[in-house]
């Protein structure tokens, strides 16, 4: 027995089954992957995959802007050709210096096929990196107009189209007041100032601060304050021109971009805004809060040339708005900090 233990400790292998069996007790097995036949592939009883959804009869052609200020905007085609360009009468207006006034047209042939046509643009229309004159379109095709603008052509059913529109709307609008949000405002300001400088035009902004909103929140609660903000936004929008842009800057502040407007005209617009907000009162059980607005106005024509005209324009309007508040509220402050 002692000899046997000594042999094992020295690495000798004992052929006796009495010693080997307790140690090796398991039979060696070879692992392998099942064959396709064993796994069930190719059998007739394999469940069939569901059939694909048939094309929706309600699908219609759409164009989605993928780049620039309007990235995400969707334009649906309702039978009529869609002209893309910088012209105000274009169905899809794209404000980019690389895009021509009337750049390209998307239309449907008599046979029902869609096609893209370049309208003699300066920088060309490209489909799959090839400059085109006229070319057929298929769902998912990307068109490039000039060096920067990309547009996707797609056939979408009503559900997909509604989802795309909702996503775009939520990306550019304030969730509470439904006016434009600050991100869109920043992008739009850059575009408007660049356009004004490029065309020797003008642009002004109104910085609007709502007076006494804290009193509304303290007396009636934040839900009442939210309702007041929505009402104020609607009132401001009602006195603006179609081309003006209203955005929520943050908290109880709004900004209006008055496109193509000099400072005197912008001051008149600000006075209309002040009057429409001034008429708003909130009260309950004898407690009343009068809501007004303090407004600062600034225009590009006042500013000296500098490297960041957008920041200078916002800073000037903000300083004047603050001046309007500290000198009594419910007033407009424009050139030379004169408040009325």
């Amino acid at each position: 027995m002692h000899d046997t233990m000594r042999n094992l400790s020295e690495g000798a292998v004992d052929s006796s089954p009495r010693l080997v069996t307790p140690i090796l007790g398991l039979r060696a097995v070879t692992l392998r992957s099942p064959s396709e036949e064993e796994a069930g592939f190719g059998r007739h009883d394999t469940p069939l995959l569901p059939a694909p959804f048939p094309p929706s009869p309600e699908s219609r052609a759409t164009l989605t802007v993928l780049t620039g200020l309007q990235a995400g905007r969707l334009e649906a085609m309702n039978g009529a050709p869609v002209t893309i360009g910088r012209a105000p009468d274009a169905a899809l207006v794209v404000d980019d210096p690389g895009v021509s006034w009337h750049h390209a047209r998307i239309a449907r042939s008599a046979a029902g096929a869609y096609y893209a046509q370049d309208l003699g643009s300066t920088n060309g229309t490209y489909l799959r990196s090839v400059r085109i004159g006229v070319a057929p379109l298929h769902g998912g095709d990307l068109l490039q107009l000039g060096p920067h603008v990309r547009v996707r052509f797609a056939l979408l059913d009503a559900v997909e189209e509604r989802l795309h529109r909702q996503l775009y709307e939520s990306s550019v609008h304030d969730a509470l007041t439904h006016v434009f949000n600050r991100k869109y405002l920043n992008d739009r300001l850059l575009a408007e100032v660049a356009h004004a400088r490029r065309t020797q035009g003008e642009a002004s902004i109104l910085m609007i601060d709502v007076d006494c909103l804290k009193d509304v929140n303290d007396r009636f609660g934040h839900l009442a304050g939210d309702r007041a903000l929505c009402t104020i936004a609607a009132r401001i929008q009602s006195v603006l021109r179609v081309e003006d842009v209203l955005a929520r800057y943050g908290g109880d502040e709004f900004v209006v971009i008055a496109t193509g407007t000099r400072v005197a005209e912008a001051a008149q617009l600000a006075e209309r805004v002040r009057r429409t907000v001034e008429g708003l009162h909130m009260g309950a059980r004898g407690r009343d809060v009068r809501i007004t607005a303090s407004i600062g106005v600034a225009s590009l024509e006042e500013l000296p040339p500098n490297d960041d005209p957008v920041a200078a324009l916002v800073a000037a309007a903000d300083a004047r708005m603050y001046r309007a508040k500290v000198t009594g509220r419910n007033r407009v402050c424009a050139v030379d900090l004169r408040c009325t």
Side-chain angles (χ1 to χ4, degrees):
M1 180 67 172
H2 293 295
D3 291 338
T4 301
M5 295 298 293
R6 183 169 58 254
N7 290 338
L8 289 174
S9 65
E10 293 173 356
V13 179
D14 191 343
S15 61
S16 170
R18 182 174 59 82
L19 294 176
V20 174
T21 301
I23 297 174
L24 299 179
L26 296 176
R27 179 170 61 86
V29 294
T30 301
L31 298 178
R32 63 184 179 84
S33 300
S35 66
E36 290 188 358
E37 182 178 355
E38 291 170 333
F41 292 106
R43 291 181 180 175
H44 294 294
D45 57 351
T46 302
L48 297 176
L49 294 175
F53 287 111
S56 171
E58 298 179 357
S59 295
R60 60 177 176 172
T62 62
L63 299 169
T64 304
V65 181
L66 301 180
T67 55
L69 178 64
Q70 294 180 309
R73 177 187 169 186
L74 182 144
E75 182 75 23
M77 298 183 63
N78 296 307
V82 172
T83 302
I84 308 172
R86 289 192 291 116
D89 62 348
L92 182 54
V93 178
V94 180
D95 188 13
D96 183 276
V99 173
S100 295
W101 203 243
H102 294 102
H103 194 106
R105 178 187 294 116
I106 312 300
R108 192 175 188 180
S109 68
Y114 288 93
Y115 63 92
Q117 178 185 5
D118 184 80
L119 299 177
S121 66
T122 302
N123 294 315
T125 302
Y126 295 82
L127 176 62
R128 293 184 286 276
S129 302
V130 177
R131 187 164 182 167
I132 64 169
V134 179
L137 289 174
H138 304 90
D141 275 347
L142 290 179
L143 287 166
Q144 181 157 335
L145 284 64
H148 306 299
V149 175
R150 290 187 176 185
V151 177
R152 182 177 61 202
F153 172 82
L155 297 172
L156 302 179
D157 62 23
V159 174
E160 292 174 306
E161 183 182 333
R162 184 164 58 249
L163 174 61
H164 279 270
R165 291 188 186 278
Q166 290 173 346
L167 290 174
Y168 173 67
E169 291 297 318
S170 64
S171 71
V172 300
H173 287 97
D174 175 59
L176 175 64
T177 61
H178 303 296
V179 299
F180 289 111
N181 58 27
R182 184 165 179 171
K183 180 183 181 303
Y184 179 86
L185 171 70
N186 293 337
D187 294 341
R188 185 66 180 264
L189 266 175
L190 287 170
E192 292 294 343
V193 169
H195 178 76
R197 288 291 170 89
R198 188 172 64 247
T199 61
Q200 304 300 310
E202 288 297 337
S204 301
I205 66 170
L206 283 58
M207 182 74 73
I208 305 165
D209 185 87
V210 179
D211 302 322
C212 303
L213 187 66
K214 184 178 183 302
D215 292 342
V216 173
N217 290 329
D218 291 344
R219 295 188 186 187
F220 309 116
H222 286 275
L223 288 178
D226 289 348
R227 289 197 298 272
L229 279 174
C230 293
T231 302
I232 292 165
R235 288 194 172 199
I236 295 173
Q237 191 74 68
S238 69
V239 299
L240 299 182
R241 303 169 303 170
V242 173
E243 60 268 32
D244 295 330
V245 176
L246 173 63
R248 188 180 180 192
Y249 194 66
D252 54 2
E253 293 182 345
F254 296 90
V255 169
V256 173
I257 305 175
T259 306
T261 303
R262 304 180 73 88
V263 66
E265 298 167 331
Q268 294 173 2
L269 175 62
E271 180 60 26
R272 292 200 299 272
V273 171
R274 186 196 66 79
R275 288 198 301 267
T276 193
V277 175
E278 183 183 30
L280 181 61
H281 293 255
M282 295 197 70
R285 296 186 297 275
R287 297 179 300 172
D288 185 76
V289 176
R290 179 190 176 202
I291 298 176
T292 59
S294 299
I295 306 173
V297 181
S299 176
L300 279 178
E301 66 180 301
E302 310 171 71
L303 304 178
N306 59 71
D307 295 334
D308 195 349
V310 172
L313 190 64
V314 172
D318 188 64
R320 292 170 182 179
M321 180 269 292
Y322 179 75
R323 175 73 174 174
K325 291 189 74 69
V326 299
T327 56
R329 299 180 178 180
N330 189 27
R331 57 189 60 199
V332 173
C333 189
V335 183
D336 299 328
L337 299 181
R338 292 197 301 269
C339 299
T340 58

